Amino acid sequence: MVSSYTSLSSLSSNNTKQLFGRRSFMPEHQNRLWKIETGFVRTFTYLEDGTTVALGLWGPGDIVGRALSKLEPYQMECLTKVEATNLPLEEWTELTETLLAHIQQAQELMIIRSHKKVDTMLIKLLAWLSKKFGSEVEKGRLIDMRLTHEDLAEMVGSTRVTITRVLGQFEQEGLIARLSLHRIVLREEEIWYYEI
């Protein structure tokens, strides 16, 4: 996967770092981008009936912004506390890499959502999250994004109730361990049969 990280030393002093609280929204600017320094952001839109459609999950080094989407509405919600640098679009020298990262993530999420069963979609999503954002811990890979059951449901196009049930099933089967603050440890060696 292409990283959208770049050095800011070549960019102008118009760049400003801002802090955002958990569940706050990053402001949309047509000609500016946000480089995430710390924390996690999800991008999404809504359908006419109010259904939320997840567009991506982004972490440190990733770039998000209104200029990268034609969708209306386009929202950027902070899943955790976030520190981000506001960058002028015309000064961003890594635009090709940023666009490739967005295309690749969109394709990966499209494949995950293309599975027919919710349990398969969810375990594939958890595996993807652990690979992209997880950290190695004693009993697997920790996904420390504090995603709620509703967040996970929106990512796979399901309901919160179904996700709660499937997560409970995964926990009973030993595929995951759930920790406080919506953190999950994925036991990767136990999910091999979902990879077939």
Side-chain angles (χ1 to χ4, degrees), residues 122-137:
L122 185 57
I123 201 71
K124 296 282 189 183
L125 177 64
L126 293 175
W128 180 80
L129 289 169
S130 77
K131 189 185 305 181
K132 183 166 173 64
F133 301 112
S135 58
E136 202 68 40
V137 293

Side-chain angles (χ1 to χ4, degrees), residues 4-180:
S4 53
Y5 178 80
T6 189
S7 168
L8 295 178
S9 60
S10 63
L11 301 174
S12 81
S13 60
N14 288 339
N15 309 332
T16 56
K17 284 190 180 178
Q18 290 186 345
L19 297 174
F20 300 95
R22 175 173 155 74
R23 294 297 174 183
S24 65
F25 290 88
M26 300 174 81
E28 300 176 31
H29 303 291
Q30 194 59 42
N31 295 316
R32 297 186 74 82
L33 299 170
W34 290 102
K35 179 179 179 283
I36 302 167
E37 305 293 342
T38 61
F40 298 99
V41 173
R42 75 176 183 142
T43 52
F44 63 95
T45 190
Y46 293 104
L47 300 179
E48 297 82 20
D49 66 0
T51 302
T52 300
V53 178
L55 301 174
L57 290 171
W58 311 99
D62 288 330
I63 304 296
V64 296
R66 181 78 187 100
L68 298 172
S69 178
K70 293 273 187 198
L71 295 174
E72 189 61 48
Y74 177 84
Q75 299 284 303
M76 299 171 284
E77 181 184 22
C78 300
L79 295 173
T80 61
K81 290 181 182 176
V82 170
E83 180 179 10
T85 303
N86 195 261
L87 310 167
L89 181 60
E90 66 274 3
E91 293 181 20
W92 184 243
T93 60
E94 305 294 327
L95 195 54
T96 300
E97 289 80 7
T98 299
L99 292 172
L100 286 173
H102 278 252
I103 290 167
Q104 290 168 348
Q105 187 172 125
Q107 290 173 343
E108 290 167 345
L109 292 175
M110 189 181 346
I111 294 298
I112 290 168
R113 288 197 60 173
S114 294
H115 291 278
K116 303 292 184 231
K117 295 172 57 181
V118 173
D119 61 341
T120 304
M121 283 189 282
L122 185 57
I123 201 71
K124 296 282 189 183
L125 177 64
L126 293 175
W128 180 80
L129 289 169
S130 77
K131 189 185 305 181
K132 183 166 173 64
F133 301 112
S135 58
E136 202 68 40
V137 293
E138 184 180 330
K139 295 185 178 182
R141 290 193 59 82
L142 174 64
I143 304 168
D144 191 10
M145 296 180 72
R146 300 181 183 177
L147 294 165
T148 66
H149 294 186
E150 185 70 28
D151 293 333
L152 294 170
E154 290 171 356
M155 292 294 297
V156 298
S158 186
T159 65
R160 184 198 53 77
V161 172
T162 300
I163 295 303
T164 299
R165 179 183 53 77
V166 174
L167 285 173
Q169 173 191 323
F170 288 168
E171 195 168 27
Q172 286 179 343
E173 293 174 9
L175 301 175
I176 65 168
R178 291 191 280 184
L179 308 175
S180 62

